[in-house]
Amino acid sequence: MTLPQPLNFIEELKWRGMLQDIMPGTEEMLSKGPVKGYIGFDPTADSLGVGNLVQVMTLLHFQRCGHQPVALVGGATGMVGDPSGKSAERNLLNEEQLQINLNAQRKQLEKFLDFSAGPSQAMIVNNYDWFKNFSFLDFIRDVGKHITINYMMAKDSVQRRMETGISFTEFSYQLVQGYDFYYLWKHLDMKLQMGGSDQWGNITTGTELIRRMEGGEAFALTTPLIKKADGTKFGKTEGGNIWLDPVRTSPYKFFQFWMNSSDDDSKNYIRIFTTMTKADVETLVAAHDQSPHLRLLQKAIAKEVTIRVHSEEDYNAAMEASEILFGNAPTEALSKLDEDTLLSVFEGVPQVNISKSELEAGIPLLDLLADKSGIFPSRGEARKLVQSGGVSINKQKVSDPNAQQTATDLLQNKYLLIQKGKKNYYLLIAN
RNA sequence: GGGGAGAUAGCCAAGUGGCCAACGGCAACAGACUGUAAAUCUGUCCUCUUCGGAGUUCGAAGGUUCGAAUCCUUCUCUCCCCA
C-alpha cells in the first residue's frame, strides 16, 4: 500500500477529532519518514468490540499515512490487569481463557491492517513473548530500579484507587506495560505508542523508562474517549456491547447499530470510523444537513464499517433486510419475498420453531408470544406490550391481546415475523 | 477502643403504626410525533394474572400489635468524628 503523497498523520488525527494528548516533538519525529508505532489491546474478551475499533482505526490511519502500525496483544499484561479506569480490583483471567481471547483478537486485528511487505507493513506482537522468560527478580532489579514508587503513585489510575485499595499486582501494571515500550523501542526501533486517553499514564511510564534506562527518546499520543452526544458510553446498546465477532453480534445488528446513531454522533463517527477524505466528509455532512431524513451519514458509516469488519455480502444482506423492515411498504415487501431471500434476510434475527398443526388449529396470541415462543417471559408482559401497541406480526400491528393466531398469515406458508417494539424482530418457523 | 449516623425497588431518594407495592427523580422499555435522529409529550416500570385480582418485598433473624418499611431485641454491613 503506497500512497502518492504521504499524509501528515497528526493533521489527519486532528481533523478527525482523534487527538487528545501528544508528547512534544512527536509531529516532528513523524515528519522525518516512516516510523513504527503501536497500540496495545487488552485481552479481556474473546472478541474486540466497537470501542476497540477506535484504536484499530488509529492504526489504520497511521498506516495510511505511510507509517508502520504494530498491534500488541497483551498476553502478559492481560495476566496482570490494568487498573486504569477501574474503580475496583479486577478478577484475573485464567490462562486458558486468556489464550482463547488472545487468539481471537489477533485474528480480528489481522483483518484490518495491511500485512503485505513494504515500508508500512503491519505487525502483530505479543508481550508474553518477552515476558515469559523474564524472572521476577530480574525484572525488579533491571526495570523496577529505574522508576520510583513516588513516580508510580502520582499516576491518576493509582491515585484514584488509594482510598479503596489497589493490589500490588495492579499497581505494578504500568511498569509491565512500560517495559513493553522499552523492549519494543530497543529491539524493534519502536518510536511511538498510541492509545486511548486513559492510557496516557501507562504510556508515559514507558517513555520515562526508556529515558532512564538508556537515555533514549520515545513519543506518545492518545485519542479522546468517545462519548455519545447525550454523554453516555459509546458502543453499548440495550442488548449490551456491540462486538466485532459475528457470532456475538450479527452483521445485521452491527449494521443497525451504526444506522441508529444520532445525527450529532454520526458527524463524529464518519471522521473516526471511515477513511473518507476531509473534503468528502465535509461534502457529505453538508448534504446530510440539507436533507437529514435521507440519513446519508448513517448509511455511509454503516456501509464502510460493516464491509470492513464483516464483508461486502454481509453488508448487502443487512442492507436488504433493513430496507424491507424499515421501507415504505414493508408488509407487501415481506409477502413478495421468496423463501431463500426471506431466510437470508433474516439470518441475523432470532428464530423460534413452533408447531404448524397447533397454529392451524389457532393459538391464543398471548400463548404464542410467551409460552410457545419465549419472545416474552410472561403472558402478562406480552399483554401489556400488545395493549400499548408495541407488537406487530408481519409488520402489521396487533391490538387485541385476546386474539387467536392462525396459519392464514404465514409467509411462504411457513414463517411469521414477530416484532417486539420497533427494532426487535423474531422469526417464527412453523413446522 | 469511645461516640455518632445510616442500610428502602437497577441507581438516587421520600416515607417514621393502618390511606404503602411504598412520593419524587434518573436510567430502562413501549407509544405518539419524526427521519430507524434529537427534543418533546404519554404510558409501563417487584413477580404472576383468566386484568377482576393474587403472591413476595423496605440489610438479616426474632418479637410487640388486630395490623409494621415504620415500635422493641439481637446480629451483619457501611460511613463519619474522637483516641
Side-chain angles (χ1 to χ4, degrees):
Chain A
M1 173 182 202
T2 41
L3 291 153
Q5 295 130 332
L7 299 156
N8 179 327
F9 178 60
I10 301 301
E11 285 305 315
E12 193 69 7
L13 286 187
K14 271 187 188 159
W15 79 260
R16 289 181 189 277
M18 294 175 74
L19 190 63
Q20 174 83 12
D21 293 303
I22 180 162
M23 208 166 262
T26 305
E27 186 163 14
E28 195 196 341
M29 181 272 300
L30 287 168
S31 67
K32 288 180 187 155
V35 301
K36 286 196 187 102
Y38 82 103
I39 295 179
F41 292 85
D42 202 12
T44 43
D46 66 2
S47 170
L48 299 172
V50 286
N52 297 307
L53 210 50
V54 182
Q55 300 315 322
V56 171
M57 291 310 293
T58 306
L59 284 178
L60 188 58
H61 293 309
F62 190 64
Q63 185 166 46
R64 287 174 56 243
C65 293
H67 299 290
Q68 197 174 351
V70 177
L72 177 149
V73 291
T77 32
M79 294 182 73
V80 176
D82 185 359
S84 303
K86 304 284 187 307
S87 53
E89 190 81 11
R90 300 200 317 193
N91 290 322
L92 291 175
L93 292 162
N94 66 50
E95 277 190 56
E96 188 189 355
Q97 188 60 49
L98 190 73
Q99 209 49 48
I100 292 169
N101 295 353
L102 222 53
N103 290 333
Q105 291 196 1
R106 174 191 283 264
K107 228 171 149 189
Q108 289 179 335
L109 287 166
E110 281 169 357
K111 275 185 83 163
F112 300 106
L113 299 167
D114 185 354
F115 289 84
S116 53
S120 57
Q121 178 180 7
M123 284 174 67
I124 293 184
V125 295
N126 182 349
N127 57 12
Y128 187 70
D129 291 340
W130 54 86
F131 269 110
K132 64 184 168 198
N133 293 321
F134 203 164
S135 80
F136 177 73
L137 283 175
D138 286 339
F139 184 76
I140 57 175
R141 262 183 87 86
D142 299 345
V143 182
K145 199 70 181 168
H146 299 276
I147 296 286
T148 63
I149 287 279
N150 316 52
Y151 178 82
M152 292 173 74
M153 295 227 301
K155 303 280 173 178
D156 215 44
S157 56
V158 175
Q159 277 297 308
R160 262 185 310 201
R161 291 277 294 280
M162 290 314 282
E163 286 289 328
T164 51
I166 180 168
S167 65
F168 176 71
T169 309
E170 285 193 11
F171 175 67
S172 43
Y173 180 89
Q174 55 172 301
L175 210 51
V176 177
Q177 181 170 328
Y179 179 74
D180 281 343
F181 200 0
Y182 169 79
Y183 181 92
L184 292 167
W185 173 84
K186 177 94 175 160
H187 298 279
L188 288 178
D189 193 28
M190 190 73 65
K191 288 281 201 296
L192 175 68
Q193 184 178 176
M194 299 169 278
S197 54
D198 60 333
Q199 290 300 308
W200 185 254
N202 291 333
I203 295 174
T204 51
T205 300
T207 57
E208 187 68 10
L209 203 53
I210 290 167
R211 194 170 67 236
R212 298 210 186 172
M213 285 176 80
E214 308 240 349
E217 193 172 27
F219 299 88
L221 64 84
T222 59
T223 58
L225 180 71
I226 300 193
K227 277 200 292 203
K228 292 196 274 186
D230 60 11
T232 56
K233 209 174 166 204
F234 164 77
K236 290 220 167 161
T237 60
E238 325 80 70
N241 252 319
I242 299 293
W243 302 95
L244 305 194
D245 180 351
V247 176
R248 283 183 171 230
T249 302
S250 72
Y252 168 77
K253 273 213 146 151
F254 184 84
F255 175 83
Q256 279 295 323
F257 167 77
W258 298 101
M259 283 300 279
N260 274 306
S261 40
S262 72
D263 289 5
D264 285 346
D265 290 334
S266 50
K267 284 173 193 170
N268 297 328
Y269 297 170
I270 190 96
R271 291 173 158 83
I272 297 168
F273 297 105
T274 76
T275 53
M276 283 175 77
T277 63
K278 188 175 184 194
D280 288 348
V281 165
E282 279 164 1
T283 311
L284 193 64
V285 169
H288 182 272
D289 284 339
Q290 279 289 305
S291 30
H293 60 281
L294 295 179
R295 311 175 68 80
L296 294 172
L297 281 173
Q298 285 91 339
K299 284 177 186 168
I301 300 164
K303 178 176 180 181
E304 186 174 327
V305 182
T306 306
I307 290 175
R308 174 168 300 114
V309 171
H310 297 293
S311 68
E312 183 110 33
E313 295 81 70
D314 287 325
Y315 159 71
N316 286 329
M319 169 79 171
E320 200 178 339
S322 303
E323 267 170 11
I324 288 160
L325 295 177
F326 297 99
N328 285 328
T331 311
E332 262 174 67
L334 264 183
S335 50
K336 276 195 215 138
L337 289 179
D338 62 61
E339 186 166 354
D340 283 349
T341 321
L342 191 129
L343 275 181
S344 68
V345 159
F346 295 121
E347 213 186 298
V349 164
Q351 307 187 349
V352 184
N353 287 298
I354 50 164
S355 147
K356 190 165 185 177
S357 50
E358 279 184 56
L359 195 60
E360 277 161 347
I363 303 177
L365 182 63
L366 296 183
D367 281 3
L368 182 73
L369 293 176
D371 309 335
K372 302 283 183 205
S373 65
I375 293 172
F376 287 88
S378 74
R379 305 161 51 77
E381 262 186 56
R383 171 186 294 271
K384 273 179 194 158
L385 203 65
V386 169
Q387 276 168 344
S388 63
V391 176
S392 296
I393 293 180
N394 296 341
K395 293 299 289 185
Q396 208 91 53
K397 248 184 197 154
V398 290
S399 50
D400 178 10
N402 299 314
Q404 294 263 321
Q405 181 62 44
T406 63
T408 53
D409 299 327
L410 286 175
L411 300 166
Q412 295 300 316
N413 202 28
K414 199 172 171 189
Y415 305 99
L416 277 182
L417 183 70
I418 311 271
Q419 188 176 358
K420 178 169 110 181
K422 200 177 271 183
K423 291 163 191 167
N424 304 301
Y425 291 93
Y426 300 84
L427 191 63
L428 290 194
I429 305 171
N431 284 314

